[in-house]
Amino acid sequence: MWHHVHTGSNQDRSDGILFLIRRSWCSPDQIGFAEVLAGRIGHLRIHFRQRSLDILGCYQYADDHTSQRQDKRHEFWKCLDRHIAVLPNRNSVLIAGDFNCSLPSCSPHVGTSFYLATISADCPQQLERAVSPNIYK
C-alpha cells in the first residue's frame, strides 16, 4: 500500500524522517532520495512524466536554549536555505515537517485565535514570509 523512505543518524536517537508515498501514486523506480542533513532534512523526488515533485522533509532541532543547540538550529536553517536555492524551478516543491518554532497566528494558515505566539528568535524570514497574510492577497 505504501512506499517508505526513512532516514536517521547514529548521533542522536531523536533524529529521523519518514516519507510515506502511496503505491498507487508512483512506482519505486520513480522515487529518488538524498539525505541533505542526516536525520533532519531529506530530499525526496518523485519523477512524473512532465514534471517532478521535490519534497523536502524537515525536522528542526528543539530549542533548549543552549549555545550548542542554537548552533545546530542555525546550521539547519542554512542547510535548508542552500538546498532550496538549488532546486530546479521547473519542479513542483513541497516543504513539510516539524520546524520547532513559533509563528504568529495567520488564519486559516497558522494557529488559531486561542493561541498567540511571538516568532522564535531564530525563525528565518523565509518561513515568516511564507505565512505572511500578504502572500495570500
Side-chain angles (χ1 to χ4, degrees):
M1 183 176 289
W2 299 93
H3 302 295
H4 63 277
V5 178
H6 181 264
T7 179
S9 79
N10 294 328
Q11 298 171 353
D12 189 337
R13 288 184 343 172
S14 65
D15 288 350
I17 302 168
L18 174 65
F19 295 86
L20 295 172
I21 306 104
R22 183 179 286 277
R23 286 184 189 260
S24 63
W25 213 40
C26 66
S27 64
D29 60 324
Q30 290 175 269
I31 300 171
F33 181 76
E35 191 171 58
V36 178
L37 183 60
R40 294 295 170 164
I41 302 174
H43 178 188
L44 186 87
R45 178 172 286 162
I46 303 173
H47 301 277
F48 294 111
R49 184 171 296 145
Q50 295 197 339
R51 176 180 292 196
S52 293
L53 170 62
D54 288 312
I55 302 171
L56 298 182
C58 303
Y59 181 33
Q60 172 61 289
Y61 297 94
D63 188 357
D64 66 3
H65 303 289
T66 63
S67 61
Q68 181 182 14
R69 185 59 60 91
Q70 293 302 314
D71 291 344
K72 284 185 172 187
R73 287 175 61 86
H74 182 70
E75 183 57 35
F76 171 93
W77 292 123
K78 284 185 358 186
C79 186
L80 181 60
D81 194 45
R82 282 192 307 265
H83 198 71
I84 290 169
V86 298
L87 293 175
N89 288 334
R90 66 185 171 274
N91 293 358
S92 298
V93 177
L94 172 65
I95 303 170
D98 181 353
F99 293 96
N100 272 317
C101 68
S102 298
L103 295 171
S105 177
C106 178
S107 181
H109 310 287
V110 175
T112 67
S113 60
F114 299 106
Y115 175 74
L116 300 175
T118 57
I119 296 173
S120 297
D122 71 339
C123 187
Q125 291 178 349
Q126 299 93 321
L127 193 55
E128 182 182 353
R129 277 195 306 267
V131 296
S132 169
N134 296 328
I135 201 165
Y136 301 106
K137 290 183 179 177

